[in-house]
């Protein structure tokens, strides 16, 4: 690793020098020898002036090659495109794999999209418009139309010839999709199948019929899971008439799996971990909205405790255990939330019934609550030599944990039900809400015992 | 989706019937027509008796094909193997891709491993022993030796012929690795390159030299990230002498990426979300260890509050804001923890300097703390018409948030430094620890103000 890294640094320095000195040939040789991902890495490290110099020595096709590896939601994407000549940018988008080009266009203002499309060759512009039409988070939104399909009546030799013809433009040539004259998908072949069979073998004899497919409307997370489960390199996408309209490649599936995991993680933490800044003010501006919102929810808890001030001044010992009860219930609620969010995230077929999941979480809360409650009852009873206090804390703990588990599982379920991402029900929200219910439970129980023993 | 699902259910029912009625031919035809992943899904749904019946109608090779798609850390794997005839199990493991076989063997008792290896063909057993030798979490631990390599002096036609010869056994034939006579990796070719070039072209002319590689000792997370960044289908693995020893395929990279994300997520939640049970007792047994451990840490906070009982009975209003301060600081600490864990998880090259990260988190804590502190000072000051109280709460809030950010970033860093997974520093642990520091800060400040105004 270390060696490779320093090698890359040396290369960067040499590239910068070649660029500065207008040594076009040297630059092109060194640059084009690198992997596209490394090219992109170098490109993104440049200053605007240097990038303009680079556009002069590389053609739109060469720039498009490495733009395919750049994340489409890069914040500075609009500026990068704007600093190119418009026709150059349009050519570059045209030369990219069309799923990547569509992903970039999706993040641009509508007038930019129209301008770039109007400068492209017509059939490609139409293809891109179709892709832009699909929801971003569906199979249609992430698929590419740069796939290889052949007619079912061909033989192996003909298919290989067709493959050679289109190899340069297709995103993957590892799978060959077999269609009939209506473009209905009738089977799939791997390049491996083509290689090991005689060139006169008919495709129909060796193809796998009933290929596993996704529908254009399928959720991207489901599709990615399918690619993962079946260890596919690509998955064909069909429209409502079962016509082949695109494929989704494994690299896009990885992005989806990772994005979904990041978003679940960010939800649990109450902060978007995807965009991290080392600038404390920028970082704070990302975190404050949640903190301040939850501060107001926390004020409700404070108001509630305030409401019980008389009780607290009679039995100030109660204050000692507020944070123990709210803290433990918050921990239990976070566990419950995490389990519920992950179970909702698993693929469609195995998605659990909502009420069943909530019931199982509440029962789990009851079991953990009773055991934790008994533990704390013993500790407090012995420490304070006060059985009533022990029982109060123990009961409050058990009830607060059960309610926290209910909230931790029910809230993401309801979110999902009304069409929101369940991960939006963040961990901090659940713990802050659980503070409120825990305090209410705690003081109600304490008040009850106090009244019972005072009367 | 719906249609496919019910189709699969129909198939399952038919398969079960064929198995029960000893209709071997019907069963074999229907079963072997399914995708390996679906075969595994059916197999895992069977009762032990039904599985034994299945071993009679399928040979070890056919079973090995779908065992390749089963997760290697399946808890019942040992029993599944034990119920097969030992030689049959050994043959099956022998027929699997060797990375998958090694992953299964890694989870078995040593005597079982020795028995299975002794029953395999000798060269395969030696290969597997070598794979078992590597750390599970390194490139060596997840690579396969079922790759395609060719000598550098061959031409395209010869390489294609070699490819056809080994196509059935190799895990992927999409990349062809070019080695010299010492087995040093000198270049890489894609099958696409072979297809589009004339059969007499020398490999040296068209191969990509300086292939991007992983070392056997590289961490699996780093390697997976590399495969993701470069959109590879496979990545070659070399030993310390730069000799080619294996490849890592993209499906294994997805598993690694997903496992790492799950483990970060589980850490943040303080519960292993990977194994979820609907049985409340089993689920509770997974969650109680953390809850009870943290309960004792929470007891420290209670003891601390108890220590300030005199202060609390003098100014019982202080009790009203305990949960507001601990809750908000806990939320900030969770955000900080999540950011730190994710930043530590990014690939080696860009790993941030520890102290720089902690400093940036503490500064972020200071900014968020001051703003949140000012907000709460205003609210409390106005609500309670008490400036001193407002200042006390505001100061305590600002300090508690800063300290929570320090803890949230420092603790995972220290974990990483001493060789632990930083994700083990769970969210609930940070919030519970932050309860303790927040209470200490809060009461110290309150005591100071009280003394200042009483004297």
């Amino acid at each position: 690793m270390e060696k490779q890294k320093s090698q890359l640094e040396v290369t960067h320095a040499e590239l910068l020098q070649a660029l500065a000195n207008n040594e076009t040939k040297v630059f092109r040789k060194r640059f084009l020898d690198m992997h596209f991902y490394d090219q992109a890495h170098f490109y993104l490290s440049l200053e605007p002036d240097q990038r303009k110099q680079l556009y002069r020595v590389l053609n739109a096709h060469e720039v498009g090659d490495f733009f395919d590896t750049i994340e489409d939601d890069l914040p500075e994407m609009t500026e990068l495109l704007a600093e190119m000549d418009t026709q150059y940018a349009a050519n570059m988008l045209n030369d990219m794999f069309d799923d990547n080009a569509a992903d970039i266009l999706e993040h641009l203002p509508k007038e930019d999209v129209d301008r770039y499309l109007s400068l492209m060759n017509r059939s490609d512009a139409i293809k891109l418009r179709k892709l832009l039409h699909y929801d971003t988070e569906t199979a249609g939104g992430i698929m590419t139309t740069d796939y290889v399909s052949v007619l079912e009546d061909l033989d192996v030799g003909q298919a290989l010839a067709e493959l050679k013809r289109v190899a340069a433009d297709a995103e993957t040539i590892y799978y060959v999709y077999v269609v009939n004259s209506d473009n209905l998908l009738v089977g799939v072949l791997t390049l491996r199948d083509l290689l090991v069979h005689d060139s006169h073998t008919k495709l129909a004899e060796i193809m796998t019929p009933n290929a596993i497919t996704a529908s254009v409307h399928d959720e991207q997370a489901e599709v990615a899971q399918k690619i993962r489960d079946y260890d596919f390199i690509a998955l064909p996408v069909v429209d409502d008439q079962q016509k082949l309209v695109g494929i989704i490649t494994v690299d896009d599936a990885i992005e989806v799996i990772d994005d979904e995991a990041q978003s679940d993680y960010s939800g649990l933490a109450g902060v978007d971990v995807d965009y991290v800044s080392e600038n404390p003010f920028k970082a704070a501006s990302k975190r404050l909205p949640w903190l301040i919102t939850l501060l107001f929810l926390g004020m409700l808890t404070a108001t509630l405790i305030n409401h019980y001030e008389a009780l607290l001044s009679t039995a100030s010992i109660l204050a000692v255990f507020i944070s123990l009860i709210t803290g433990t219930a918050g921990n239990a609620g976070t566990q419950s939330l995490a389990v519920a969010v992950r179970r909702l995230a698993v693929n469609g077929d195995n998605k659990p019934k909502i009420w069943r999941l909530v019931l199982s979480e509440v029962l789990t809360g009851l079991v953990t609550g009773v055991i934790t409650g008994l533990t704390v009852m013993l500790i407090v009873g012995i420490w304070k030599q006060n059985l009533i206090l022990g029982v109060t804390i123990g009961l409050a703990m058990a009830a607060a944990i059960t309610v926290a588990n209910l909230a931790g599982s029910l809230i993401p379920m309801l979110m999902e039900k009304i069409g929101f991402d369940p991960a939006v029900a963040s961990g901090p929200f659940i713990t802050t809400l659980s503070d409120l219910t825990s305090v209410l439970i705690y003081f109600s129980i304490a008040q009850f015992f106090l009244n019972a023993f005072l009367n």
Side-chain angles (χ1 to χ4, degrees), chain A:
Chain A
M1 280 302 294
E2 276 313 304
K3 222 177 96 204
Q4 283 185 2
K5 191 186 161 189
S6 59
Q7 223 170 37
L8 209 63
E9 281 168 354
V10 172
T11 312
H12 271 209
E14 288 171 351
L15 282 169
L16 281 176
Q17 205 179 2
L19 202 58
N21 298 347
N22 269 315
E23 298 167 327
T24 306
K25 260 197 187 156
V26 177
F27 178 84
R28 283 181 55 83
K29 165 138 189 41
R30 279 218 165 266
F31 186 82
L32 297 175
D33 259 2
M34 291 200 294
H35 192 281
F36 297 148
Y37 174 76
D38 294 326
Q39 293 179 0
H41 196 245
F42 172 76
Y43 167 78
L44 290 174
S45 74
L46 296 179
E47 300 295 322
D49 278 356
Q50 298 170 316
R51 285 198 300 265
K52 282 196 180 135
Q53 177 68 8
L54 178 135
Y55 302 139
R56 277 194 285 272
V57 299
L58 295 176
N59 64 39
H61 176 72
E62 289 157 348
V63 172
D65 278 344
F66 69 77
F67 256 75
D68 269 322
T69 73
I70 298 180
E71 302 263 345
D72 53 77
D73 55 355
L74 195 75
E76 51 270 39
M77 188 59 90
T78 317
E79 290 97 80
L80 291 179
L81 291 176
E83 70 189 18
M84 300 178 195
D85 174 82
T86 317
Q87 181 65 55
Y88 186 95
N91 291 349
M92 185 204 75
L93 288 165
N94 200 356
D95 273 334
M96 288 176 66
F97 290 127
D98 62 4
D99 53 342
N100 298 333
D103 287 344
I104 289 180
L105 290 174
E106 242 145 38
H107 291 94
L108 298 184
K110 199 185 164 307
E111 57 273 22
D112 285 11
V113 175
D114 290 340
R115 194 168 61 242
Y116 291 132
L117 288 180
S118 69
L119 292 170
M120 286 184 193
N121 102 38
R122 188 134 179 281
S123 73
D124 286 334
I126 292 174
K127 258 198 212 169
L128 277 176
R129 268 212 193 283
K130 267 193 198 157
L131 284 184
L132 285 171
H133 190 70
Y134 296 109
D135 269 350
T136 336
E137 309 249 305
T138 63
I142 56 171
M143 72 185 184
T144 173
T145 60
D146 297 324
Y147 57 86
V148 185
S149 68
V150 292
L151 283 168
E152 58 182 336
D153 48 6
L154 299 193
D155 65 24
V156 167
Q158 291 167 314
L160 277 173
E162 169 66 10
L163 210 54
K164 278 180 205 179
R165 202 179 61 77
V166 299
D169 289 327
E171 192 160 341
T172 178
I173 59 164
Y174 198 55
Y175 291 114
V176 177
Y177 299 97
V178 186
V179 293
N180 67 14
S181 52
D182 289 331
N183 202 32
L184 290 181
L185 181 68
V186 294
V188 61
L189 281 165
T190 64
L191 190 43
R192 195 191 293 243
D193 296 328
L194 293 179
L195 272 191
V196 298
H197 283 97
D198 182 83
S199 70
H200 297 299
T201 316
K202 286 283 173 198
L203 298 187
E205 290 171 32
I206 55 168
M207 72 182 186
T208 306
N210 308 319
I212 290 166
T213 59
S215 145
V216 277
H217 310 297
D218 285 348
E219 273 179 46
Q220 61 172 7
E222 258 174 57
V223 175
Q225 189 63 38
K226 218 178 225 180
I227 290 178
R228 182 196 158 163
D229 284 342
Y230 287 94
D231 291 351
F232 285 144
I233 304 293
L235 179 70
V237 182
V238 294
D239 66 11
D240 295 334
Q241 286 83 45
Q242 300 293 309
K243 287 190 184 175
L244 181 63
V245 289
I247 61 168
I248 293 166
T249 49
V250 64
D251 54 311
D252 295 320
I254 296 185
E255 298 292 329
V256 169
I257 288 171
D258 207 38
D259 284 353
E260 301 271 333
Q262 291 273 23
S263 114
D264 284 355
Y265 185 82
S266 295
L268 195 61
V271 60
D272 183 354
V273 295
D274 225 8
Y275 291 103
V276 170
S277 170
E278 282 209 350
N279 178 324
F281 293 96
K282 278 196 189 155
S285 74
K286 286 276 173 198
R287 302 189 198 176
L288 276 167
W290 254 126
L291 283 183
I292 299 282
T293 309
L294 295 177
L295 182 71
F296 283 93
L297 185 56
M299 281 303 300
L300 283 185
T301 310
T303 315
L304 185 68
I305 304 178
N306 190 55
H307 178 75
Y308 283 101
E309 219 191 333
L311 177 66
L312 268 173
S313 51
T314 317
S316 64
I317 185 76
L318 289 175
V320 169
F321 298 99
I322 294 178
S323 75
L324 185 69
I325 292 174
T326 58
T328 309
N331 292 343
T334 302
Q335 292 180 328
S336 184
L337 171 72
V339 169
V341 168
R342 284 317 296 174
R343 285 185 62 188
L344 284 173
V346 296
N347 53 329
D349 297 9
N350 304 320
K351 209 167 257 190
K353 288 257 180 300
I354 291 195
W355 297 113
R356 190 164 157 183
L357 203 165
V358 174
L359 181 69
S360 117
E361 279 304 312
V362 170
L363 289 178
T364 304
L366 207 57
V367 175
T368 47
V370 166
I371 294 174
T372 314
L374 283 173
T375 311
V376 81
M377 187 184 84
L378 278 174
I379 298 176
V380 173
I382 291 168
W383 176 31
K384 289 287 170 190
Q385 295 288 317
N386 183 337
L387 185 65
I388 307 293
L389 184 67
V391 172
T392 306
I393 311 280
L395 268 180
M397 186 72 96
I401 288 177
T402 309
V403 171
N405 272 35
L406 173 67
S409 54
L410 189 61
I411 289 175
M413 299 291 149
L414 293 179
M415 293 272 193
E416 164 106 350
K417 197 87 178 171
I418 57 176
F420 281 100
D421 180 355
V424 171
S426 81
F429 173 65
I430 293 294
T431 52
T432 310
L433 183 69
S434 146
D435 282 357
L436 184 68
T437 56
S438 302
V439 163
L440 184 63
I441 290 167
Y442 178 37
F443 284 121
S444 304
I445 291 176
Q447 185 82 69
F448 172 81
F449 274 96
L450 208 71
N451 291 347
F453 285 85
L454 284 184
N455 295 341

